[in-house]
Amino acid sequence: MDRSSEHTGTVRRWCPVDFRDMPGLEGWLTGLASQQGLYFAQAKALRWVFLKRPPQPVRYRLEPVRGRKDREPDSERVGYYRACGWNYCGAVHSYYHVYLAQDPQTPELYDDPVSQSYALETLERRQFREALLYLLLLAVYSLLLLGTGWNLSDWPVLFVLEGVTALQVPQILLYLLLFLQAFQAFWQLHRLRRLLRAGLPMTHEATPGSFRRVRWRTGACAALCLLMAVLWFSYDYRWHGAPETLTAEGLAPAYFSLHELEPEQEPLRTSRASAQRTPLLRSYEVDQSMHTLTTPAGVRYTPGMTYAYYDPTFPFLASPLMDDLIYRYTQHNYFPDEYRLKPLELPGFDRALLALDTDGFGQKLFLSRNGDVLYLCYYGWTDLLEHLESIENLFYTNSS
C-alpha cells in the first residue's frame, strides 16, 4: 500500500525488480510514470521515492556508474545528455545514473547496440566480482564449518555434530541464495552484452518471471532470517546446572551419581551438568568428583566420574560417533599401551567397549543403543559393569 504526502506530492514504493536487472528497472520506471504518474526521485534502501504528477508517455534509461569517480556524473556529460533530450534524475545505489526523456521522439540514449555493450562492460565486471565474493563467502564458511572437522579434527563426526549450531545451517542457505541471485544477474547481463555486440537492440523491460523471482527470493531471504531468529531463541539450546535437576528439566531420563560407585559417602567436591541441542545432536554431560580418599591398602586416589550422552538426529551416525569418542578419549592410535580396549557383548546394546587404564584406576565405558551413544569415564576401584543396570537407565526408552 502506497503512502502519499499531500504536501510534498511524493509516493513511496517497494522495488519489485532486482536492482541489478537494468532492462527490468527501465521498464518498471517507465511504466510507473506513463501509467500511474509516478516519477523517479530517489532510490532508498527499503522504499523508492516518486513524485506524483500527471501520467505522460515518457521513457527512463539507465547508464551504469563507471567507477567511484563517476558516482556523480560530470556536468559536461549531463549537459550533453540534456541537450539530446535526456534529463538527469539521480542514481540507483551507486549502480546507475537515471535519465528521463519526456518527448517520445527523443532518440535513444544509446542508439548503437555495439557501443552500449561496451558501456555495460564495467557493470558486468562488477556483477561478476559480486557473485564471486558470495561464492567465496559460501565456500569459506562451509569449509570452516564442515571441512575443518573432516580435515583437521581427529574426530570429525563429533566435531560436525557439536559444531553445526542451529544458526549456521540457515546461514549457509542464505549465502547460497545470495550467490545464486548474484550469479543469475551477472549471467543475464553477460547474455545481454552478447546480444548487443551482435547488433540486436536492448528490450527495455523485465525478463519474463522477473517480478515473481524477486518476490520468491525476497520471501526466501526473509524466511531464512526469521528462521535464524526463531532458532536462536529455541532450537540452539544450551543449559548449565546441577546434575540432580537434569531429569526435572526433561533433559535426561535418569541421574547417575558418583556415590553409587564409591562406598565412602564423602561429599562431592564438584558436581555440575550441562546440556545442549543443535540441529544434528541432543546431548547432556555430568561431571562429578570427590576429595582424595585412601584405600585399605593405603593407596590415595581422587574419585571422579564424567558421563556424556549423545542423541544424534540421524541414527546412522551413532556408530561413527562412538568410534570418534573411543579415539578421542583413549588416543589408542597414538598411545596403545595406555588403555586396554575390551569389546563387550552386552544384552540390549548394539555396541559396547570397555577401556581399562593400565594403571588400574581408570575405566572408560562406551555404549551404543538404538542410535544413541553413552560415554562414561570413572576413576576409582569399583567395577562399572557391576552397575550396568543403573547405567542402562541413562538411555532414553525410545531413542531417536
Side-chain angles (χ1 to χ4, degrees):
M1 184 176 181
D2 300 337
R3 294 189 308 174
S4 303
S5 173
E6 296 179 356
H7 302 287
T8 60
T10 60
V11 175
R12 298 178 184 271
R13 283 281 184 93
W14 295 101
C15 179
V17 185
D18 187 344
F19 69 90
R20 290 166 293 200
D21 182 4
M22 180 175 165
L25 281 178
E26 291 179 344
W28 180 60
L29 293 174
T30 299
L32 285 180
S34 302
Q35 301 171 14
Q36 304 181 34
L38 301 180
Y39 295 82
F40 174 81
Q42 186 180 8
K44 292 190 174 182
L46 297 179
R47 287 192 168 189
W48 291 24
V49 181
F50 296 87
L51 300 178
K52 182 66 176 177
R53 296 174 181 171
Q56 295 181 8
V58 300
R59 285 173 293 159
Y60 278 96
R61 295 295 179 261
L62 305 180
E63 184 180 56
V65 174
R66 301 169 185 175
R68 294 184 178 180
K69 296 182 179 180
D70 190 42
R71 291 182 177 179
E72 292 292 336
D74 59 86
S75 57
E76 182 178 350
R77 186 179 4 149
V78 171
Y80 173 75
Y81 286 163
R82 185 185 301 112
C84 295
W86 293 94
N87 296 316
Y88 181 69
C89 301
V92 176
H93 304 315
S94 71
Y95 253 76
Y96 311 104
H97 296 304
V98 183
Y99 293 92
L100 170 66
Q102 296 179 323
D103 186 354
Q105 303 301 321
T106 300
E108 282 291 337
L109 196 61
Y110 286 92
D111 54 4
D112 179 21
V114 177
S115 63
Q116 188 175 17
S117 71
Y118 291 113
L120 297 176
E121 183 178 1
T122 302
L123 180 61
E124 182 183 12
R125 289 200 303 265
R126 180 175 181 177
Q127 292 191 0
F128 175 77
R129 290 194 300 267
E130 185 175 322
L132 183 61
L133 175 62
Y134 283 124
L135 178 61
L136 290 176
L137 286 174
L138 176 64
V140 169
Y141 193 82
S142 300
L143 287 175
L144 288 176
L145 183 62
L146 301 175
T148 304
W150 291 103
N151 297 322
L152 302 181
S153 174
D154 290 331
W155 38 89
V157 176
L158 181 62
F159 177 90
V160 171
L161 292 179
E162 291 184 335
V164 179
T165 66
L167 288 177
Q168 291 166 330
V169 173
Q171 280 177 347
I172 291 180
L173 296 178
L174 183 61
Y175 285 140
L176 176 62
L177 183 62
L178 292 175
F179 161 70
L180 294 176
Q181 179 178 345
F183 180 79
Q184 183 185 37
F186 158 74
W187 188 248
Q188 288 180 348
L189 184 61
H190 178 74
R191 293 176 57 189
L192 174 62
R193 289 196 65 213
R194 289 175 56 185
L195 295 175
L196 292 173
R197 286 196 297 269
L200 299 176
M202 178 191 298
T203 57
H204 305 280
E205 59 185 15
T207 56
S210 175
F211 291 0
R212 184 175 63 255
R213 286 194 299 269
V214 170
R215 287 195 298 269
W216 180 86
R217 289 196 298 258
T218 303
C221 289
L224 286 173
C225 293
L226 179 61
L227 177 62
M228 287 189 289
V230 172
L231 293 177
W232 175 268
F233 293 103
S234 60
Y235 203 72
D236 192 14
Y237 176 82
R238 285 174 172 81
W239 175 90
H240 298 273
E244 297 83 355
T245 61
L246 274 172
T247 54
E249 296 286 341
L251 301 173
Y255 166 58
F256 185 53
S257 173
L258 179 59
H259 284 139
E260 296 189 38
L261 300 175
E262 289 298 319
E264 299 291 340
Q265 295 299 307
E266 295 290 334
L268 295 174
R269 183 179 64 176
T270 60
S271 182
R272 53 180 174 262
S274 63
Q276 70 169 343
R277 183 173 61 233
T278 72
L280 297 180
L281 180 69
R282 177 180 60 168
S283 65
Y284 66 86
E285 181 175 335
V286 172
D287 181 34
Q288 295 181 332
S289 65
M290 291 181 176
H291 294 281
T292 302
L293 302 177
T294 303
T295 66
V299 179
R300 294 175 60 82
Y301 72 104
T302 303
M305 179 185 67
T306 298
Y307 63 87
Y309 185 85
Y310 301 89
D311 177 16
T313 302
F314 304 102
F316 68 87
L317 294 174
S319 183
L321 172 60
M322 182 168 168
D323 293 333
D324 281 5
L325 291 171
I326 295 172
Y327 180 79
R328 177 180 185 179
Y329 291 111
T330 65
Q331 296 286 300
H332 59 88
N333 288 358
Y334 295 132
F335 310 103
D337 298 330
E338 186 171 349
Y339 288 93
R340 290 189 295 110
L341 303 186
K342 184 181 178 181
L344 305 173
E345 293 290 339
L346 300 178
F349 291 97
D350 301 326
R351 289 181 61 189
L353 183 140
L354 180 64
L356 299 174
D357 194 337
T358 53
D359 292 338
F361 282 84
Q363 303 173 61
K364 295 185 177 182
L365 183 62
F366 303 87
L367 300 172
S368 175
R369 186 177 74 179
N370 296 336
D372 292 0
V373 179
L374 175 71
Y375 159 68
L376 193 152
C377 175
Y378 167 61
Y379 190 78
W381 290 99
T382 304
D383 187 356
L384 283 178
L385 298 181
E386 295 179 358
H387 298 266
L388 193 59
E389 183 177 350
S390 298
I391 296 174
E392 187 175 4
N393 292 333
L394 297 176
F395 281 82
Y396 285 95
T397 303
N398 296 319
S399 302
S400 59

